[in-house]
Amino acid sequence: MRSVFYLLDTAPYGSEKAFGLLNAAAVSLGKMEVTVGLYGDGAYLALGDQDSRALAIPNLADILRAYGEMKVIVHEPSVVERGLFSEGLVETVELVDEEAFLEAMEGSDCLITL
Amino acid sequence: MRSVFYLLDTAPYGSEKAFGLLNAAAVSLGKMEVTVGLYGDGAYLALGDQDSRALAIPNLADILRAYGEMKVIVHEPSVVERGLFSEGLVETVELVDEEAFLEAMEGSDCLITL
Amino acid sequence: MKTLTIILTDGPYISEYAQIAKKIAEAALKRYQVNIFLYLDAVHIPRKGQKPAFFADEGGLFADLAREGAVIRACSRCAAARGYLAEEDGSSQDYPDGIKITSLYDLPVMIQGSDGVITLCR
Amino acid sequence: MKTLTIILTDGPYISEYAQIAKKIAEAALKRYQVNIFLYLDAVHIPRKGQKPAFFADEGGLFADLAREGAVIRACSRCAAARGYLAEEDGSSQDYPDGIKITSLYDLPVMIQGSDGVITLCR
Amino acid sequence: MMMMMDVFLLTKPPQSERSDLCLKLLARSEKSRLYLAGDGIYHLLSQAGEIPSSCEILASKEDAAARGVVPRRRAEVREDFYERVVEDVMEGDGRFFTF
Amino acid sequence: MMMMMDVFLLTKPPQSERSDLCLKLLARSEKSRLYLAGDGIYHLLSQAGEIPSSCEILASKEDAAARGVVPRRRAEVREDFYERVVEDVMEGDGRFFTF
């Protein structure tokens, strides 16, 4: 496998999946072509102003920023449905339409969904 | 608490939740008024012809039958949406419309969802 | 004294429900009796020796709750399936003092005797 | 020999994915190298001493797979958080022989060297 | 005569079936209070009118901050959220539902 | 020229978002085979046309039996289901997706 698509479709913080997926994507960088796709409730991960200090757990928006070279795409219809379109999103994240999102999934050698 | 509503909204076999919910409802019989409500994917539990021998796990339709005194209601819109309306359902299960289903939830002292 | 029962079904870390339960139980213990019933994967929560790198030790949080007076019980079927064995008195080598493995029959007893019941699960 | 990698994230019993993974791995081992990476709650799967009353012992199933040649590795962060500690060679008192606790960095190496990757999770 | 207050604790995000069911029951309640914690916080983002205007909404401060959610509908974002939930669950006169 | 065959393994029930996404990708594939296991079996109940008629459907026999599902659409219910999945994943010439 030379490229991998990590699909996140669950909200961050409510479960460990977003954190686990970002870690898996991060350790794959440099070894394979990595795309992280935020879909459905995964789109919430793109919210820019996260501050998880009071929960004493890692800030997931900061993890996205720390790996600026990681290609992260967000499914635009998911963003719109969730009222996120007018919210500030993490700068490193790219909004793509459904066609481009599905093409990115099809264009990767393997799909990993946690 | 004198009455309890056990809500199942996940499919049987795919997860342990249906089995766990039926066990919890069964041990509550006789102590409290018990209603089991099948909603959403929980409606699949009502399919009559289950045969789990090849999976070597308990047959959940048989558990429903074994506790014939357990009040089990199924949310009819969930049944219809899933194409279950013309399938044979477990005899002890009662199809109710949305209004009756929500009333049963409201009428119980507590709601337990696994 | 009024009694609150919290029912959990998720293991530690994978969801936030152990954390939320801890906060609810802490708030409730100031005035009420608190029961926590650990069902399905939640029997993993009190396991001793958890060493999370990025989160609080959820087993430790529940050990604290037990010390503060919460009655914490784990379903024996779920616990045995997942490798947690009970001594005769319901204690387990894997669990902190005060947290016991018990029959599912304790669940309706807890519910019956409660003024509030909160189920937290994915 | 071609290689198949299976990634799991659920614990035993709570979902059917450990069972499905076992069937896929059994079928694959006849002709292929099989890797299984246990991530998040899946680190609970190989625990020794599981005594399920109504299901097959899923820890035993994975011990069998390891004996049959599957390379089974558990994420060290997830394992430590959940109380599974590794010896220096990655073995663990809690796990059967051959199943090791390893770094997440092994995951991309497994994927890279694979001809097929199957992720099974809720 | 005082109306009884129904209390809802919601930890699921908007597009989930459990949220739908919670909001169905909420819509039938004459007097209600909705507690948003965990991923329930995301209900603060939408202005959509599924929640009756008579319903009081309270949200957990640390859960909203972690998620980067600024309420787009009227809601009290409280630090003493869990104390309030417990008080309402234990001393309330109406029904209580968790989703 | 032979078209490449895309292979899908689906273990989620029809109303789930992952099933939707799987079926979206399936609809875009020119030649496909869909493997239904676990709760994916429930896709056999509906006759609805979301699955392209050119797509071959295979289902796990023991998973269908446990759930009490009799296929209401054309599908091969097979005992050697997992052998077939593995063969297609490892020897197939197209893409492979699990949902």
Side-chain angles (χ1 to χ4, degrees):
Chain A
M1 301 286 169
R2 282 172 304 181
S3 59
V4 53
F5 189 102
Y6 285 101
L7 177 75
L8 180 70
D9 60 2
T10 48
Y13 303 107
S15 99
E16 196 186 3
K17 290 192 171 185
F19 183 60
L21 188 130
L22 287 178
N23 284 334
V27 299
S28 305
L29 287 172
K31 298 194 183 63
M32 289 173 288
E33 202 183 301
V34 175
T35 307
V36 171
L38 309 181
Y39 185 88
D41 286 344
Y44 290 122
L45 178 60
L47 275 169
D49 207 21
Q50 300 170 37
D51 177 356
S52 57
R53 280 172 299 177
L55 293 183
I57 57 180
N59 182 322
L60 300 182
D62 284 352
I63 295 180
L64 282 179
R65 292 192 184 96
Y67 294 96
E69 72 275 31
M70 195 191 286
K71 185 178 170 66
V72 183
I73 61 175
V74 198
H75 181 245
E76 193 173 287
S78 300
V79 167
V80 173
E81 283 163 21
R82 282 160 185 77
L84 300 174
F85 202 76
S86 50
E87 304 287 330
L89 301 184
V90 173
E91 312 70 38
T92 59
V93 154
E94 184 190 346
L95 271 179
V96 303
D97 63 16
E98 174 147 310
E99 174 68 22
F101 196 91
L102 297 177
E103 267 175 20
M105 293 183 76
E106 290 163 345
S108 294
D109 289 340
C110 83
L111 167 67
I112 294 180
T113 317
L114 300 188
Chain B
M1 301 288 169
R2 282 171 303 180
S3 58
V4 53
F5 189 101
Y6 286 101
L7 177 75
L8 179 70
D9 60 2
T10 48
Y13 303 106
S15 98
E16 196 186 3
K17 290 191 171 186
F19 182 61
L21 188 130
L22 287 177
N23 283 336
V27 298
S28 304
L29 287 172
K31 299 195 182 63
M32 289 173 288
E33 200 184 305
V34 174
T35 307
V36 171
L38 309 182
Y39 185 86
D41 286 344
Y44 290 122
L45 178 60
L47 276 169
D49 206 21
Q50 300 170 36
D51 177 357
S52 58
R53 280 172 299 176
L55 293 183
I57 57 180
N59 182 321
L60 301 181
D62 284 351
I63 295 181
L64 282 179
R65 292 192 184 96
Y67 294 96
E69 73 275 31
M70 195 191 286
K71 185 180 170 66
V72 183
I73 62 175
V74 198
H75 181 245
E76 193 172 285
S78 301
V79 167
V80 173
E81 284 163 21
R82 281 160 184 77
L84 301 174
F85 202 77
S86 50
E87 305 287 331
L89 302 184
V90 173
E91 311 70 40
T92 59
V93 154
E94 185 190 345
L95 271 179
V96 304
D97 63 17
E98 175 147 310
E99 174 68 24
F101 196 91
L102 297 177
E103 267 176 20
M105 293 183 75
E106 290 163 346
S108 294
D109 290 342
C110 83
L111 167 67
I112 293 179
T113 317
L114 300 188
Chain C
M1 190 158 60
K2 288 186 178 180
T3 299
L4 172 68
T5 291
I6 301 171
I7 302 167
L8 293 170
T9 67
D10 288 339
Y13 314 110
I14 192 68
S15 84
E16 69 193 326
Y17 290 112
Q19 292 275 356
I20 291 178
K22 159 79 176 174
K23 291 175 194 172
I24 292 173
E26 284 283 356
L29 279 167
K30 294 172 193 162
R31 295 171 59 191
Y32 307 112
Q33 170 62 41
V34 173
N35 300 323
I36 301 179
F37 194 81
L38 305 173
Y39 201 40
L40 305 179
D41 271 358
V43 300
H44 290 302
I45 295 176
R47 185 170 187 201
K48 282 192 235 172
Q50 298 175 36
K51 305 251 183 263
F54 299 98
F55 308 100
D57 166 10
E58 298 191 354
L61 298 181
F62 276 60
D64 292 347
L65 287 177
R67 256 193 310 274
E68 292 162 25
V71 173
I72 305 180
R73 299 290 178 259
C75 162
S76 56
R77 175 188 71 80
C78 308
R82 289 161 177 83
Y84 302 97
L85 300 182
E87 310 289 329
E88 278 208 5
D89 66 352
S91 67
S92 168
Q93 286 191 339
D94 294 312
Y95 284 178
D97 285 349
I99 300 184
K100 292 195 176 177
I101 294 172
T102 189
S103 155
L104 182 58
Y105 284 91
D106 280 8
L107 177 65
V109 175
M110 281 184 173
I111 297 169
Q112 239 182 333
S114 291
D115 304 277
V117 175
I118 299 181
T119 314
L120 296 168
C121 66
R122 276 185 288 173
Chain D
M1 192 158 59
K2 287 186 176 178
T3 299
L4 172 69
T5 292
I6 302 171
I7 302 167
L8 293 170
T9 68
D10 288 339
Y13 314 109
I14 192 69
S15 84
E16 70 192 325
Y17 290 112
Q19 292 275 358
I20 291 178
K22 158 79 176 172
K23 291 176 196 171
I24 291 173
E26 284 284 356
L29 279 167
K30 293 173 193 161
R31 294 171 59 189
Y32 307 113
Q33 170 61 43
V34 173
N35 300 323
I36 301 179
F37 195 81
L38 305 173
Y39 201 40
L40 305 180
D41 271 358
V43 301
H44 289 302
I45 295 176
R47 185 172 187 200
K48 283 192 238 173
Q50 298 175 35
K51 305 253 183 263
F54 299 98
F55 308 101
D57 165 10
E58 298 192 353
L61 298 181
F62 276 60
D64 292 346
L65 287 176
R67 256 194 310 275
E68 293 162 24
V71 173
I72 305 180
R73 299 291 177 260
C75 162
S76 56
R77 174 188 72 79
C78 308
R82 288 160 177 82
Y84 301 97
L85 300 182
E87 308 291 328
E88 280 209 2
D89 65 352
S91 67
S92 169
Q93 287 192 338
D94 294 312
Y95 284 177
D97 285 349
I99 301 183
K100 292 194 174 177
I101 294 172
T102 190
S103 155
L104 182 58
Y105 284 90
D106 280 8
L107 176 64
V109 175
M110 281 184 173
I111 296 170
Q112 239 182 333
S114 291
D115 304 277
V117 175
I118 299 180
T119 314
L120 296 168
C121 64
R122 274 185 289 172
Chain E
M1 196 185 88
M2 288 277 288
M3 244 186 302
M4 291 192 298
M5 160 102 75
D6 296 325
V7 174
F8 298 81
L9 170 60
L10 178 56
T11 64
K12 304 295 181 293
Q15 264 75 7
S16 76
E17 190 180 54
R18 291 208 183 154
S19 283
D20 285 351
L21 186 52
C22 179
L23 296 179
K24 277 181 195 171
L25 290 166
L26 189 62
R28 293 160 57 94
S29 169
E30 297 196 326
K31 190 176 172 198
S32 58
R33 191 173 283 154
L34 173 63
Y35 285 92
L36 299 174
D39 290 341
I41 285 296
Y42 294 115
H43 287 270
L44 294 175
L45 280 169
S46 139
Q47 309 226 40
E50 291 153 9
I51 303 177
S53 59
S54 64
C55 175
E56 282 178 53
I57 305 176
L58 286 85
S60 158
K61 187 171 180 187
E62 66 260 35
D63 291 354
R67 288 163 178 80
V69 168
V70 178
R72 302 299 175 194
R73 58 164 100 224
R74 69 197 155 69
E76 276 185 64
V77 180
R78 298 185 70 108
E79 221 157 333
D80 65 347
F81 177 88
Y82 290 103
E83 281 78 10
R84 293 290 305 273
V85 173
V86 167
E87 165 96 23
D88 264 0
V89 171
M90 299 302 285
E91 307 297 335
D93 55 5
R95 292 164 296 199
F96 169 65
F97 300 97
T98 329
F99 285 97
Chain F
M1 197 184 89
M2 289 278 287
M3 245 186 301
M4 291 192 297
M5 161 102 75
D6 296 325
V7 174
F8 297 82
L9 170 59
L10 178 57
T11 64
K12 304 296 180 293
Q15 264 76 9
S16 75
E17 191 180 54
R18 290 207 185 156
S19 284
D20 284 351
L21 186 51
C22 180
L23 295 180
K24 278 182 195 172
L25 289 166
L26 190 62
R28 293 160 59 93
S29 169
E30 297 197 324
K31 190 177 172 196
S32 58
R33 191 173 283 153
L34 173 63
Y35 285 92
L36 299 174
D39 289 340
I41 286 296
Y42 293 116
H43 287 271
L44 294 176
L45 280 169
S46 139
Q47 309 226 41
E50 292 153 8
I51 303 177
S53 59
S54 64
C55 175
E56 283 178 52
I57 305 176
L58 286 85
S60 158
K61 188 173 180 186
E62 67 259 35
D63 291 354
R67 288 164 178 79
V69 168
V70 178
R72 302 301 175 193
R73 59 163 98 223
R74 70 199 152 67
E76 277 184 63
V77 180
R78 298 186 69 108
E79 221 157 333
D80 65 348
F81 178 88
Y82 289 103
E83 281 77 11
R84 293 291 306 271
V85 173
V86 167
E87 164 96 24
D88 264 0
V89 171
M90 299 302 285
E91 307 297 336
D93 55 4
R95 292 164 297 198
F96 169 66
F97 300 98
T98 329
F99 285 98

